[in-house]
Amino acid sequence: MDKKRVVVWGTGVVGSMVIAEIVDHPVFELVGVGVTRSDRAGTDVAELCGLPAATGILATTDVDELIALRPDALVHYGPTAQYADDNIRVITAFLRAGIDVCSTAMTPWVWPHMRQNPGNWITPVEEACAEGGASCFTTGIDPGFANDLFPMTLMGLCGRVDSVRASELLDYTDYAGDYEDEMGIGRPPSYTPLLEIPDLLVMAWGATVPMIAHAAGIELDDMTTTWEKWVTPTDRKTAKGVIEAGNVAAIRFTINGVYGGREVITLEHVNRIGLDAAPDWPSGSGDDVYRVDIVGSPSISQETAFRFTDGSGRAPAVAGCLATGLRALNAVPAVNDLPPGWVTALDLPLVPGVGTIR
C-alpha cells in the first residue's frame, strides 16, 4: 500500500514521541509539522523532538502552508479543550480543505453527542466536515481506548452487565505533565482544582460514559461525580520537585452513569505520588495499570500496563502518552475510508496497527 502522508500538529510530549515513530514507519510519511509557539517555527523537527538526524522538515505556525502539502490526514496533538478556540481554528481549516483529522486534543469530542458539549464546539466542525467532505476522529487513552474500546469489547463477551468500571491507576512520581492546576496534586487541600468542579470534570473526562451507554442500547438517567483528596504526612520527591507534607499527593475521582436508580457505568481515576500514597484506595495487581471490571454474566477483569523496555527509564505514564498518540495515528487509514462527519470508536473497524511488525 502507498504510504499515508501525514501532517502532525504539536511537538509536546505526545507529538514529539509520535513523530519519532513516524520517521522510520513503513506505512506513514511525515510531510509537515505544525506548532503553536512562534519560537519553534523554522526549527528542524529533529531538534524539537530529540531525533538523532535532521529531517529537513521545519516546524511552522502557518496552517495554510501545511494544508498546501495535501496530506492524507492531520494528526493533531494540540493543547487541551482549555484552548478550544485555537484547536477548532486549526482543525476546521484542514477539514474545510478536505483533509481528515485524527486528534487527541478535544476530549469531549470522543463522544460529540454528549449533551454537555457546547454548540460552538460542535457546529463549526460539522459545517467544516460537510464543506470539505472530511472526517474528524478524537481519541486518546483516557478518555479514549482504555475506557471506551476496552470496556465495550469486553462487554461484548457478556450476556448481562450489572456494572462496568474503567479505572486509571497511576503513580505520577516520575511524570512531568501538568497535574497541579487540573488535579490539585501538590496543592494545599483547600485548593479547588479545575477538575474538582463537576461540570468541568464531566466535560473533560466523561464523554465515554454516555458513549458506553449508547453502545449498550440505554439512555442514562443521570451522570454524577465524586472527588477525594489524600494529604501526605511526609515530603515526597517527584520529577518536578518536592511535594511538602500537608499537601495533596493523591486524588481519586469517579464519573458515574446512573440507570434505573443505580450506577451502571463508572470511570475512575486514582493518581498518586508514590505507590504507598492513599493505601486504602484501589490499585492494580501490578503498578501503573488501566483496569476494566465488569460485574455480570460472566464477570470480567482486565488490566493493561504500558511500559518502555528500551532501557530509557521513562515512566509508565509516559508510555501511556505514546499509546495515546499512536491510537490516533494508526486510525488514519480507517478514518480515510469512512464517510464525512464525526468519527467515534463505534464507527471504526478493528485498528490492528498495520506496519507495526517489521
Side-chain angles (χ1 to χ4, degrees), residues 141-142 144-152 154 163-170 212 252 266-270 272 281-295 299-306:
I141 185 170
D142 185 349
F145 62 83
N147 54 30
D148 58 39
L149 179 64
F150 286 1
M152 289 190 294
L154 295 174
S163 66
V164 56
R165 175 181 293 257
S167 303
E168 177 184 281
L169 309 171
L170 295 186
I212 293 171
R252 179 187 185 188
T266 297
L267 189 156
E268 177 184 46
H269 267 230
V270 177
R272 298 173 161 92
W281 291 356
S283 57
S285 58
D287 302 336
D288 298 299
V289 299
Y290 290 83
R291 182 178 174 93
V292 176
D293 291 291
I294 294 174
V295 177
S299 295
I300 302 173
S301 293
Q302 173 207 32
E303 286 188 354
T304 305
F306 299 90

Side-chain angles (χ1 to χ4, degrees), residues 235-296:
D235 292 355
R236 290 176 179 264
K237 292 183 179 180
T238 77
K240 305 173 73 172
V242 175
I243 294 179
E244 296 180 350
N247 288 323
V248 174
I251 61 98
R252 179 187 185 188
F253 70 74
T254 65
I255 303 172
N256 311 290
V258 179
Y259 177 72
R262 57 195 176 91
E263 295 176 357
V264 293
I265 303 167
T266 297
L267 189 156
E268 177 184 46
H269 267 230
V270 177
N271 300 111
R272 298 173 161 92
I273 302 297
L275 294 172
D276 61 333
D280 296 331
W281 291 356
S283 57
S285 58
D287 302 336
D288 298 299
V289 299
Y290 290 83
R291 182 178 174 93
V292 176
D293 291 291
I294 294 174
V295 177

Side-chain angles (χ1 to χ4, degrees), residues 153-165:
T153 299
L154 295 174
M155 288 168 67
L157 307 179
C158 298
R160 186 192 75 255
V161 172
D162 298 323
S163 66
V164 56
R165 175 181 293 257

Side-chain angles (χ1 to χ4, degrees), residues 47-320:
E47 182 178 339
L48 295 177
C49 301
L51 304 180
T55 64
I57 298 172
L58 305 182
T60 180
T61 59
D62 190 330
V63 173
D64 291 335
E65 177 185 331
L66 295 170
I67 289 173
L69 297 170
R70 302 310 304 169
D72 292 296
L74 167 69
V75 190
H76 181 270
Y77 305 114
T80 67
Q82 185 178 352
Y83 302 93
D85 290 347
D86 195 55
N87 286 332
I88 292 171
R89 174 186 66 84
V90 172
I91 288 170
T92 55
F94 280 85
L95 293 172
R96 284 194 301 271
I99 299 166
D100 293 337
V101 176
C102 295
S103 177
T104 62
M106 298 287 289
T107 54
W109 290 353
V110 167
W111 186 242
H113 315 294
M114 180 173 65
R115 62 177 177 80
Q116 287 85 354
N117 269 306
N120 62 338
W121 287 12
I122 299 299
T123 302
V125 176
E126 293 177 340
E127 292 176 346
C129 287
E131 181 180 339
S135 300
C136 185
F137 174 51
T138 296
T139 183
I141 185 170
D142 185 349
F145 62 83
N147 54 30
D148 58 39
L149 179 64
F150 286 1
M152 289 190 294
T153 299
L154 295 174
M155 288 168 67
L157 307 179
C158 298
R160 186 192 75 255
V161 172
D162 298 323
S163 66
V164 56
R165 175 181 293 257
S167 303
E168 177 184 281
L169 309 171
L170 295 186
D171 178 6
Y172 275 6
T173 298
D174 296 321
Y175 180 55
D178 177 30
Y179 48 66
E180 294 89 351
D181 295 338
E182 292 186 356
M183 295 182 170
I185 295 175
R187 303 289 196 200
S190 59
Y191 177 80
T192 302
L194 292 173
L195 293 178
E196 190 176 350
I197 302 169
D199 288 345
L200 292 181
L201 180 60
V202 171
M203 274 289 291
W205 253 274
T208 58
V209 174
M211 181 200 290
I212 293 171
H214 176 83
I218 64 171
E219 184 174 341
L220 296 174
D221 302 324
D222 195 12
M223 288 176 65
T224 64
T225 67
T226 65
W227 188 279
E228 299 176 72
K229 308 175 185 182
W230 184 85
V231 175
T232 179
T234 59
D235 292 355
R236 290 176 179 264
K237 292 183 179 180
T238 77
K240 305 173 73 172
V242 175
I243 294 179
E244 296 180 350
N247 288 323
V248 174
I251 61 98
R252 179 187 185 188
F253 70 74
T254 65
I255 303 172
N256 311 290
V258 179
Y259 177 72
R262 57 195 176 91
E263 295 176 357
V264 293
I265 303 167
T266 297
L267 189 156
E268 177 184 46
H269 267 230
V270 177
N271 300 111
R272 298 173 161 92
I273 302 297
L275 294 172
D276 61 333
D280 296 331
W281 291 356
S283 57
S285 58
D287 302 336
D288 298 299
V289 299
Y290 290 83
R291 182 178 174 93
V292 176
D293 291 291
I294 294 174
V295 177
S297 179
S299 295
I300 302 173
S301 293
Q302 173 207 32
E303 286 188 354
T304 305
F306 299 90
R307 301 287 190 269
F308 286 106
T309 56
D310 57 3
S312 64
R314 290 176 288 177
V318 180

